[in-house]
Amino acid sequence: MAERQERTAPDAVLTRIGQVVMLHHAGDREEARRRLLDLWTELGEDADPLHRCTLAHYLADTQDDPSDELAWDLRALTEAEGASGAVGLRALYPSLHLNLAADYVKLDRAEAARAHLRRARGAAGVLRDDSYGDGVRAEILRLEGRLGEGA
């Protein structure tokens, strides 16, 4: 019974990240960035790759400078790639590459944007038919249109 509870118990770190993301979505970008950075420091380099990937992914969204945003998105991808065999992280690849493509668009690096957009499109097969998957696929299409890419 205890083993079953461990498998179904909420992940406290992901819950904390989610709470900060809600703060960010409510408009307090600075405080969200500060809290995410504090959590990043608290967890350290040996933390679960899913936690580090998720943190970096959301830290990117709190950055004011597109270069800083790119750096955090690259860190998120590195964390995901470093967790070989972590099935849960595979579902993040379309979004990770989509964010990188958007970062490169902001930095006027169209070829790098197209490369990551192709990778996002290629990884999208793992997405479920739910609101998250639909949203990521819609953003891929939107960015394809912006870059003049076709599926």
Side-chain angles (χ1 to χ4, degrees):
M1 181 73 145
E3 180 181 319
R4 182 182 172 101
Q5 285 178 335
E6 284 179 25
R7 284 185 285 148
T8 59
D11 184 320
V13 173
L14 292 179
T15 298
R16 288 173 67 192
I17 293 169
Q19 291 169 338
V20 178
V21 169
M22 288 182 353
L23 179 68
H24 177 230
H25 289 169
D28 199 341
R29 184 183 190 111
E30 292 293 324
E31 182 65 14
R33 179 174 39 233
R34 187 190 63 74
R35 289 186 188 189
L36 290 171
L37 284 170
D38 287 348
L39 187 53
W40 179 266
T41 301
E42 177 186 326
L43 293 178
E45 292 181 21
D46 295 327
D48 181 323
L50 173 62
H51 296 156
R52 287 179 55 87
C53 175
T54 304
L55 262 172
H57 192 51
Y58 285 116
L59 265 162
D61 294 340
T62 67
Q63 302 305 305
D64 297 322
D65 183 295
S67 295
D68 293 336
E69 185 175 0
L70 173 62
W72 280 108
D73 278 330
L74 287 169
R75 189 171 288 162
L77 181 61
T78 298
E79 292 296 333
E81 290 174 338
S84 59
V87 175
L89 288 172
R90 258 188 275 148
L92 294 177
Y93 278 97
S95 180
L96 294 171
H97 286 292
L98 178 62
N99 283 4
L100 285 163
D103 294 342
Y104 284 120
V105 166
K106 291 175 191 173
L107 294 166
D108 271 342
R109 296 178 57 191
E111 286 309 309
R114 286 185 180 94
H116 280 283
L117 186 56
R118 284 190 293 275
R119 291 180 75 182
R121 189 182 322 116
V126 302
L127 295 171
R128 293 183 180 163
D129 288 327
D130 58 14
S131 60
Y132 173 77
D134 293 345
V136 172
R137 284 187 289 272
E139 285 300 310
I140 289 171
L141 289 172
R142 185 192 63 73
L143 195 54
E144 284 175 345
R146 188 170 171 192
L147 288 171
E149 289 277 299

